[in-house]
Amino acid sequence: MATSSGNSSVCTKFKSFGSEEDLQILMDQRKRKRKQSNRESAKRSRMRKQKHLDDLIEQVEKLRKENSEILTRVSIITQHYDRVEAENCILRVQMGELSQRLQSLNDILELINTTNGIYEMDNCYVTGATDYNFMNPMNMMYLNQPIMASADMFQW
């Protein structure tokens, strides 16, 4: 009975609109309205997707440009680093050579200062063992001080 009353209310509703043709026209209008609304919604959705795609393309271009700038800076910094490293290598070699020279000079001074005899000759002092005859032009005994040098004294 509930089923028949439900159907009867639908039938009454349909009857209130008029004939079946009127009902069909009404349903067609609703269908067209729904289709139009769906088309507009789909169009808005496509527009949103297109805008999102355009934004992503713009972001990709911006990131590519930024990446290129970073790569350029890295290349410049790498070249600078290589130049500094080469210069450091040259300076290390020069420092080694100068250290060896300084050590040789200090060895000579130590040898001169540790010799046993001091011989007098024409009011000049000569220091050294019998194998070494080294004249002191200042008429003084050599002081026991190492020779100090800085790298900027030896500019090539």
Side-chain angles (χ1 to χ4, degrees), residues 13 18 33 46 65 70-71 76 90 92-93 150 155:
K13 203 176 200 184
K33 204 174 190 182
R46 286 190 300 273
K65 182 179 177 185
I70 290 171
L71 288 174
I76 290 169
I90 290 169
R92 281 188 206 104
V93 169
S150 63
Q155 296 290 327

Side-chain angles (χ1 to χ4, degrees), residues 24-40:
Q24 188 62 35
I25 290 172
L26 183 63
M27 301 272 290
D28 286 345
Q29 285 176 346
R30 285 183 179 172
K31 195 185 244 185
R32 272 187 268 130
K33 204 174 190 182
R34 199 176 331 114
K35 280 185 178 181
Q36 182 63 30
S37 174
N38 287 347
R39 282 188 195 112
E40 289 173 3

Side-chain angles (χ1 to χ4, degrees), residues 61-72:
E61 288 303 316
K62 180 182 172 187
L63 291 173
R64 282 186 178 153
K65 182 179 177 185
E66 187 178 333
N67 190 33
S68 175
E69 290 171 358
I70 290 171
L71 288 174
T72 301

